[in-house]
Amino acid sequence: MSLSIKDVAQRAGCSIATVSRVLAGKGYISEEARQKVEAAVKELGYRPNRVARSLRAQKSRVIGLILSDICNPFFSEISRAVERVAIRHGYSVLICNTDEDPQKEAHYLKLLEEEKVAGILLSPTRASAKSLDPALLPPLVLFDRKFPTVHLDSVVIDNEEAAQKLTRTLLDGGYRKIAGLFGAKSFTASGRIAGFKAAFAGMEDRMHGIYQAPAFEEEGNRLMKEVLKQEPAPDAVVCSSALLATGAYRALRENGLRMPADMGFACFDDPAWAGFVEPPVTVIRQPATAIGEAAAELLMKRIDDPARPVSEIGLRGELIERGSSRRG
Amino acid sequence: MSLSIKDVAQRAGCSIATVSRVLAGKGYISEEARQKVEAAVKELGYRPNRVARSLRAQKSRVIGLILSDICNPFFSEISRAVERVAIRHGYSVLICNTDEDPQKEAHYLKLLEEEKVAGILLSPTRASAKSLDPALLPPLVLFDRKFPTVHLDSVVIDNEEAAQKLTRTLLDGGYRKIAGLFGAKSFTASGRIAGFKAAFAGMEDRMHGIYQAPAFEEEGNRLMKEVLKQEPAPDAVVCSSALLATGAYRALRENGLRMPADMGFACFDDPAWAGFVEPPVTVIRQPATAIGEAAAELLMKRIDDPARPVSEIGLRGELIERGSSRRG
DNA sequence: ATTGAATGTGTAAACGTTTACATATCGGGA
DNA sequence: TCCCGATATGTAAACGTTTACACATTCAAT
């Protein structure tokens, strides 16, 4: 049985209200009472029960972070940033992983509401647009993805612009038939596909095609091999995520294609290996830390003031041009 | 104001005790009452308040997972496995990231205790051995690392055996001067160093040296470059983690060394790129999913029965021999 | 001397559950 | 008929906080 405020009160010779006031640091407290309480707390090693606090306050000092894939470095970098900001504001973070499964997402949203978290950070799946009712939920901030229809706090990068920039780099690099590999269930895919298409304005014949698969390494590998079998085969590839890219890149190797001569390559995210394979890979680096920080800060503001106007923060991906996107 | 069990009781025309009993599914309940309550729950969209439950039960249906580095794929794979097991048992997971900082670790242990989590999974930092008092904490299971002194539930791999196997592969591959790069503050390092040393039994002259740095990519890069400057330089390297390995591998590339002819290479973990760089890299693959699952299952058992005997589960790393560890 | 604000403290209610205990009804065996 | 166990339900206390309210004291201004 752990200690309660009652034990402290008894030890300090005062009422529980006084103890609570000392601990909270608000209301009138005499210097004498303060000292006695502080001494008692120290002697007993008392620590408050957050569950009781949460019940009384009707919300906890925890925020929920719902990720679509915790093994994706982009998201783990975000987690770390979020956590840092949360701690600074006196919150802790409940991290939940959906694997892009709308059912798991719904489960977690329910759970977090039941846990009375103070707020939620969410990278929504496509399906959640309809089911999500912000009125029933704690303060909510979207990141990485947002709904075109529902107006909510969000932090995203401009996927269309980034994809266009990435694709144009390959076009400028002299490639003639460019294939695009995109996530299948992913929310961001549509923006990136749009940017990919837009890059070909006036030279539509240089687009090889748009291909989609679930965002896993193995799927990227499989899809890439399939695309390579086509006639004509592409002479360059854009990948919309690190995971797809890792699998696709491996497929190119396995097929003995030489870059950048036989094949151009560029992808989203900046996987660890992109810098040191030969040739190094041109990428769009997403500012994951900045996204996480911005989203967390936004959530803090939303928690403090539920009535404040909605903000939609846009960040840009950074193009890092390396050897894989320029022929010869 | 959210709904409470009271509202349901009113709607169903019974007492809150009956509602609670229907929800918990225990005690005597008439068929009639059950139906009325279930109808009321559905109509009102009632969902129980976990905070109140936790207060009453003196513990929550949450377990804490304290990781030393969430960005390390080894740990994120573990997270996913842990979460899956937890969900299956009706628990959710509070993930905390310490970045190997003993202070952050202490902070989180305190926090989790205050949150009255049902149990904790911990990969301890070296410093925590002394500060950790299992008597004051919820049920605790260690993973990836354990204390030689304190007897606690744990799931680890045999680092010594694995490091020895990895090193011996390079020796068998024909290398003459092998350097070992190990994490500096890491707990696992000492076991791996021991295994590294043991591999040289009877041919100590073939060991180039033992070098340590904090387990970050940049540090691995820096350290590798430094080691390469030595006279004589090593002709092979063992790295004790993916992060160090990524940086070190990059350094080898940057120095224009050719593998496996000029330089042998082998590392712990199986980073995404290890399979498709040229030559592919020999690794010890750690069974992260198995570790996470075993640890979580163990914690569940410990929660159910605090008196059960301590178990220490040992798993083995799997050697994957690829091209980088055999000369010519 | 009287008033009233400022200061300090205690009592008790409330947050939403679970559950021990009391109570009530029913049916069956003596 | 009487009693007892099985079934069913309700009442109230408890979990550990915070805080509205009441009350008491002090001190300064009238």
Side-chain angles (χ1 to χ4, degrees):
Chain A
M1 261 310 301
S2 68
L3 292 162
S4 88
I5 209 174
K6 252 186 206 162
D7 304 290
V8 178
Q10 194 164 23
R11 176 84 169 216
C14 64
S15 76
I16 60 169
T18 301
V19 177
S20 178
R21 277 188 282 253
V22 170
L23 263 39
K26 54 167 111 172
Y28 297 114
I29 319 116
S30 66
E31 191 49 35
E32 193 199 348
R34 154 168 288 120
Q35 297 198 349
K36 278 201 295 191
V37 169
E38 276 165 1
V41 166
K42 196 164 256 173
E43 284 164 34
L44 297 173
Y46 165 80
R47 288 205 325 272
N49 180 325
R50 287 178 188 256
V51 177
R53 270 191 186 169
S54 301
L55 176 60
R56 167 69 210 210
Q58 294 292 75
K59 65 175 177 177
S60 71
R61 296 291 283 184
V62 172
I63 63 174
L65 172 61
I66 304 182
L67 298 175
S68 33
D69 178 8
I70 198 177
C71 289
N72 183 332
F74 172 63
F75 286 115
S76 45
E77 190 178 333
I78 286 182
S79 316
R80 168 183 263 153
V82 165
E83 200 200 23
R84 201 172 42 228
V85 172
I87 291 282
R88 195 164 60 229
H89 285 80
Y91 287 84
S92 37
V93 184
L94 196 53
I95 303 181
C96 314
N97 179 45
T98 66
D99 290 323
E100 300 283 2
D101 177 345
Q103 274 195 294
K104 283 182 86 178
E105 182 185 288
H107 165 82
Y108 279 125
L109 284 169
K110 223 167 73 171
L111 177 78
L112 292 175
E113 201 275 329
E114 288 173 13
E115 288 281 1
K116 298 291 179 265
V117 296
I120 296 178
L121 290 166
L122 171 68
S123 59
T125 61
R126 244 196 216 145
S128 40
K130 26 185 154 289
S131 62
L132 202 100
D133 184 351
L136 293 180
L137 288 168
L140 186 68
V141 172
L142 305 180
F143 64 93
D144 187 41
R145 312 151 181 197
K146 65 177 182 179
F147 304 124
T149 54
V150 197
H151 200 48
L152 279 173
D153 287 324
S154 55
V155 179
V156 294
I157 71 158
D158 186 335
N159 282 302
E160 188 165 340
E161 185 252 359
Q164 188 170 351
K165 211 156 49 173
L166 197 59
T167 310
R168 205 181 295 280
T169 305
L170 284 170
L171 284 167
D172 293 349
Y175 297 94
R176 310 256 140 202
K177 274 289 174 193
I178 305 179
L181 267 56
F182 300 90
K185 287 190 290 183
S186 155
F187 213 91
T188 39
S190 42
R192 294 182 186 174
I193 289 176
F196 178 70
K197 277 189 194 154
F200 295 100
M203 40 186 167
E204 281 75 9
D205 56 309
R206 291 171 72 178
M207 176 167 96
H208 182 273
I210 291 168
Y211 308 94
Q212 294 187 264
F216 299 111
E217 190 181 325
E218 280 317 311
E219 291 292 330
N221 188 257
R222 196 191 48 70
L223 184 60
M224 187 76 251
K225 281 180 180 156
E226 232 168 67
V227 172
L228 286 174
K229 279 194 220 128
Q230 300 199 0
E231 192 60 52
D235 67 351
V237 184
V238 171
C239 284
S240 93
S241 83
L243 257 39
L244 283 179
T246 304
Y249 192 90
R250 186 155 52 81
L252 297 181
R253 288 276 193 210
E254 287 164 2
N255 273 36
L257 290 161
R258 287 192 331 198
M259 289 170 270
D262 300 348
M263 180 67 67
F265 193 82
C267 70
F268 268 78
D269 301 327
D270 187 12
W273 49 269
F276 64 73
V277 288
E278 197 47 52
V281 173
T282 293
V283 301
I284 288 279
R285 171 151 173 66
Q286 298 198 68
T289 296
I291 292 174
E293 282 173 355
E297 293 287 1
L298 193 48
L299 182 59
M300 296 296 135
K301 287 185 195 154
R302 170 64 57 212
I303 290 171
D304 291 341
D305 176 12
R308 79 193 288 278
V310 168
S311 24
E312 303 195 338
I313 298 178
L315 300 170
R316 358 188 91 220
E318 176 198 3
L319 178 69
I320 303 179
E321 218 172 333
R322 301 198 266 238
S324 69
S325 59
R326 186 161 294 277
R327 177 164 253 158
Chain B
M1 262 311 297
S2 67
L3 292 162
S4 88
I5 208 174
K6 254 186 207 165
D7 304 291
V8 178
Q10 194 166 24
R11 177 84 168 217
C14 64
S15 76
I16 60 169
T18 302
V19 177
S20 177
R21 277 188 282 254
V22 171
L23 263 39
K26 55 166 108 172
Y28 296 116
I29 318 116
S30 67
E31 191 47 37
E32 193 199 347
R34 154 168 289 120
Q35 297 199 350
K36 277 201 296 190
V37 168
E38 275 166 1
V41 165
K42 196 163 253 174
E43 283 164 33
L44 297 173
Y46 164 81
R47 287 203 327 270
N49 179 327
R50 288 178 188 256
V51 177
R53 271 191 186 169
S54 301
L55 177 61
R56 167 70 210 211
Q58 294 290 76
K59 65 176 179 179
S60 70
R61 296 291 282 186
V62 173
I63 63 174
L65 172 61
I66 305 183
L67 298 175
S68 34
D69 178 8
I70 198 178
C71 289
N72 183 331
F74 172 64
F75 287 115
S76 45
E77 191 178 332
I78 286 183
S79 316
R80 168 183 264 154
V82 165
E83 200 200 24
R84 201 172 41 229
V85 173
I87 291 282
R88 194 164 60 229
H89 285 80
Y91 286 84
S92 36
V93 184
L94 195 51
I95 303 181
C96 314
N97 179 46
T98 66
D99 291 323
E100 299 283 2
D101 176 347
Q103 275 195 296
K104 282 182 87 178
E105 182 186 290
H107 165 83
Y108 279 125
L109 285 169
K110 224 168 72 172
L111 178 78
L112 291 175
E113 200 277 329
E114 288 172 13
E115 289 280 1
K116 298 291 178 267
V117 295
I120 296 179
L121 290 167
L122 171 68
S123 60
T125 61
R126 247 198 214 141
S128 40
K130 28 184 153 289
S131 61
L132 203 102
D133 183 352
L136 294 178
L137 288 169
L140 185 69
V141 172
L142 305 181
F143 65 93
D144 185 41
R145 312 153 181 195
K146 66 177 180 178
F147 305 123
T149 55
V150 198
H151 200 49
L152 278 172
D153 285 326
S154 55
V155 179
V156 294
I157 71 160
D158 185 335
N159 282 302
E160 188 165 340
E161 185 252 359
Q164 187 170 350
K165 209 155 53 172
L166 197 58
T167 309
R168 205 181 296 281
T169 305
L170 285 170
L171 285 166
D172 293 348
Y175 297 94
R176 310 257 141 203
K177 274 289 174 193
I178 305 179
L181 268 55
F182 299 91
K185 287 191 290 183
S186 157
F187 213 91
T188 39
S190 42
R192 294 183 186 174
I193 289 176
F196 178 69
K197 276 189 195 154
F200 295 100
M203 39 185 168
E204 281 76 8
D205 57 306
R206 291 171 73 178
M207 177 167 95
H208 182 274
I210 289 168
Y211 308 93
Q212 292 187 267
F216 297 111
E217 190 182 324
E218 280 316 311
E219 291 292 330
N221 188 257
R222 195 191 49 69
L223 183 60
M224 187 74 252
K225 283 181 181 157
E226 233 167 66
V227 172
L228 287 175
K229 278 192 220 130
Q230 300 199 2
E231 193 59 51
D235 67 350
V237 185
V238 171
C239 284
S240 93
S241 84
L243 257 39
L244 283 178
T246 304
Y249 192 89
R250 187 155 50 82
L252 298 181
R253 288 276 194 210
E254 286 164 2
N255 275 37
L257 290 160
R258 288 191 331 196
M259 290 169 271
D262 300 347
M263 179 68 66
F265 192 84
C267 70
F268 269 79
D269 300 328
D270 187 13
W273 50 267
F276 63 72
V277 288
E278 198 46 53
V281 173
T282 292
V283 300
I284 290 278
R285 169 149 174 68
Q286 297 199 68
T289 295
I291 292 175
E293 281 172 357
E297 293 287 2
L298 193 47
L299 182 60
M300 296 296 135
K301 288 184 195 154
R302 170 65 55 211
I303 290 172
D304 290 341
D305 176 11
R308 79 193 288 275
V310 167
S311 19
E312 304 197 337
I313 298 178
L315 300 171
R316 348 190 96 221
E318 176 198 2
L319 178 70
I320 303 179
E321 218 171 331
R322 302 194 181 108
S324 68
S325 58
R326 186 161 293 276
R327 179 161 251 158

